[in-house]
Amino acid sequence: MGARRCNVHLRRERDPNCRYALLFRDYLRADEAARRQWGAFKRRLAHSVPDLLDNGQIKAPATEILMIAAEHWAAATGWQLPPGRPAPSVSPAT
């Protein structure tokens, strides 16, 4: 009772989808403006579209745009997954 619904994301170690999630997380940690804008977008979306499935459908194109910026950031900074280290399961702010 009173528990918040949540959406948990699990990733297999070294799958491309794992890289995607960790890049998403690290980019938002590194870029304060992108983090603030993404947070504001997510808050507006949550207030206007509370259904998780509908919310995800609307959020998907915005996530693709954010990931273009994240890939540019990764190239500019040399970001990559740490070699030989297990990738943790994460739940990015998506």
Side-chain angles (χ1 to χ4, degrees):
M1 183 169 183
R4 284 181 58 190
R5 290 176 51 187
C6 66
N7 191 7
V8 177
H9 298 262
L10 301 176
R11 309 288 192 236
R12 274 191 203 272
E13 179 183 350
R14 300 293 166 218
D15 276 358
N17 196 273
C18 182
R19 180 192 179 279
Y20 179 95
L22 293 175
L23 174 57
F24 185 98
R25 177 199 70 185
D26 291 349
Y27 171 63
L28 288 179
R29 285 180 174 176
D31 189 310
E32 183 180 351
R35 184 175 56 250
R36 279 188 278 112
Q37 292 168 0
W38 185 252
F41 166 70
K42 294 262 317 222
R43 282 188 294 281
R44 286 190 310 270
L45 184 59
H47 287 297
S48 60
V49 184
D51 181 81
L52 282 178
L53 292 176
D54 292 341
N55 186 299
Q57 293 295 315
I58 294 168
K59 187 174 58 181
T63 303
E64 289 178 29
I65 293 167
L66 181 118
M67 288 307 293
I68 292 168
E71 290 291 354
H72 287 291
W73 171 81
T77 63
W79 180 92
Q80 56 186 331
L81 285 174
R85 186 172 147 218
S89 299
V90 297
S91 179
T94 59

